[in-house]
Amino acid sequence: MAENTSKNAIVTGASSGIGAATVRQLRTDGWNVIAVARREDRLAQLAQETGAIAFAADITADDDVARLHAFTTDTFAQQGGLDTLINIAGGARGVDTVANADLADWEWMYQVNVLGTVKVLKAFLPDLRAHGFGTVLNLTSTAAHITYEGGAGYSAAKFGQHALTNALRLEEVENNLRVIEVAPGMVATEEFSLNRLGGNQDAADKVYQGVEKPLTAEDVAGVVGYAVGLAHHINLDQIVLRPVAQAAAHKVIRR
Ligand code: 8X3
């Protein structure tokens, strides 16, 4: 079978940070991209800038995922169908210890990182199988592989997303589906720490203070673009990337 080079992708979590940077990267690399996020205004701007197709949806809402599926089927019908699904939507809320866990935050993190990813996968797996050269890329985190104090809620969700990614790779190999996990460490984005720390900009800035060159959203997007752009038989199945200054989750050099 010849490899299909239709380059039709969906990117979730596209309104800011790594998701938006991934849309820019893929467009630069010649992909057709449906950019998905809840915030319509940001998506519209990104679409205008990059030529991506914007679709406003909440990936944790069943109706929205169904609408996204119908829209994608129509959009890519004449272009060989969807071949690449990039799940960037996710995030962290809170840095509480287990003893002080805020269960609403834990639930939100499980919804968006785990169940949201599963909902989108369930909707699109039949299409990716039918394509014959499908790719799924899930953005997890180094927190998907190791825990730290105050990180239990986020790690529990990201470990869950890591686990489902591993199982998916085993389950779908018969269907020639390539499953990639990208797990970044410290990435200084506009919103990740701000959202995690309840909108406290000073606290968010402190996370990266003195760290020489934390990763940027563009750094991660470059790796995502590289991984999905490789010939389909090459699976970078798990990619961990950190800034050099972060030798491990607990060992960050600050100057
Ligand atoms: C972000 C990495 O170190 O904040 O996913 O858990 S960390």
Side-chain angles (χ1 to χ4, degrees), residues 141 143 148 154 185 192 196:
S141 167
Y148 50 89
Y154 181 54
F192 176 80
R196 184 174 203 177

Side-chain angles (χ1 to χ4, degrees), residues 114 138 140 144-145 156-171 181:
V114 181
N138 289 342
T140 63
H145 308 152
K158 284 296 186 187
F159 267 64
Q161 198 187 16
H162 164 69
L164 83 86
T165 305
N166 279 354
L168 183 72
R169 189 177 304 114
L170 300 172
E171 290 166 2
E181 176 183 356

Side-chain angles (χ1 to χ4, degrees), residues 10 65 69 72-73 80-85 117-136 168 172 175-177:
I10 291 177
V65 174
H69 184 259
T72 303
T73 305
L82 178 77
D83 54 73
T84 299
L85 172 61
T117 303
V118 175
K119 282 181 183 181
V120 176
L121 281 166
K122 278 190 76 170
F124 287 101
L125 280 174
D127 305 278
L128 295 170
R129 287 174 181 166
H131 184 280
F133 294 93
T135 295
V136 170
L168 183 72
E172 295 296 331
N175 300 310
N176 200 33
L177 197 74

Side-chain angles (χ1 to χ4, degrees), residues 1-6 80 83 130-134 176 231-233:
M1 266 190 296
E3 284 200 8
N4 185 308
T5 53
S6 45
D83 54 73
H131 184 280
F133 294 93
N176 200 33
H232 186 269
H233 67 284

